[in-house]
């Protein structure tokens, strides 16, 4: 989905009114996977010109509620938004630079939805976050290793 007509149809299918801010924000999230809100705002402003922070926040909330985007927030990191929805994938986060990548479930369709004890809950989603060091950060500091360096909070990187 990368054409305005596709975004408009997705909005209609989700029962949302088609507006320029909604299509622009949806496009921004598609073009910038795992983007923080500031990145989405900047990308939206490239298309619409002046748009308020609050308008983008409101659109992101509506798109998330409608299931058109997914809000993720790894521990210690800013909230991020992605267009990959409808599957139960996970994420890997670099402890050094904060970059995030998608990770599919390790085995089968939804093995992570089978909890060892569901305590009576009907489970429909699992959130797994892997932490480590991305290839770029590993290459820039070959002397450090996860065992010898202290864990740090990821820095925002869109």
């Amino acid at each position: 989905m990368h054409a305005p007509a596709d975004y408009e149809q997705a909005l209609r299918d989700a029962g949302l009114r088609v507006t320029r801010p909604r299509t622009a924000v949806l496009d921004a999230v598609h073009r910038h996977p795992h983007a923080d809100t500031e990145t989405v705002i900047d990308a939206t402003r490239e298309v619409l010109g002046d748009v308020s922070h609050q308008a983008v926040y409101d659109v992101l909330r509506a798109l998330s509620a409608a299931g058109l985007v997914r809000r993720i927030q790894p521990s210690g990191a800013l909230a991020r938004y992605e267009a990959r929805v409808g599957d139960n994938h996970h994420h890997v986060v670099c402890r050094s630079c904060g970059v995030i990548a998608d990770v599919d479930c390790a085995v089968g369709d939804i093995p992570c939805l089978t909890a060892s004890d569901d305590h009576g809950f009907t489970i429909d989603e699992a959130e797994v976050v892997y932490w480590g060091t991305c290839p770029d950060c590993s290459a820039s500091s070959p002397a450090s290793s996860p065992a010898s360096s202290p864990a740090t909070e990821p820095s925002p990187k869109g």
Side-chain angles (χ1 to χ4, degrees):
M1 179 186 330
H2 288 77
D6 294 334
Y7 300 140
E8 291 172 10
Q9 189 59 50
L11 289 165
R12 285 187 192 96
D13 291 347
L16 296 174
R17 242 177 357 102
V18 175
T19 65
R20 290 184 66 225
R22 286 180 176 164
T23 57
V25 169
L26 193 52
D27 179 59
V29 173
H30 275 269
R31 287 186 296 119
H32 302 279
H34 308 118
D36 61 21
T37 308
E38 287 301 318
T39 302
V40 174
I41 290 168
D42 291 345
T44 302
R45 285 180 175 165
E46 288 174 10
V47 175
L48 295 181
D50 190 32
V51 63
S52 72
H53 281 72
Q54 190 59 51
V56 174
Y57 282 114
D58 291 345
V59 169
L60 286 169
R61 191 175 306 110
L63 295 176
S64 296
L68 294 176
V69 301
R70 181 178 177 197
R71 181 183 187 273
I72 60 169
Q73 189 166 9
S75 178
L78 296 172
R80 306 292 183 103
Y81 295 88
E82 66 180 346
R84 184 176 171 184
V85 296
D87 66 350
N88 196 55
H89 71 279
H90 309 300
H91 298 94
V92 61
V93 181
C94 179
R95 289 186 187 280
S96 182
C97 69
V99 71
I100 300 174
D102 291 334
V103 177
D104 291 323
C105 283
V107 179
D109 291 331
I110 52 171
C112 48
L113 295 183
T114 307
S116 60
D117 184 352
D118 63 18
H119 299 278
F121 284 69
T122 301
I123 298 173
D124 60 12
E125 183 176 2
E127 215 173 276
V128 175
V129 177
Y130 300 96
W131 293 88
T133 307
C134 73
D136 289 343
C137 291
S138 292
S140 66
S141 59
S144 67
S145 69
S148 65
S149 61
T152 58
E153 293 294 321
S155 61
K157 182 178 182 181

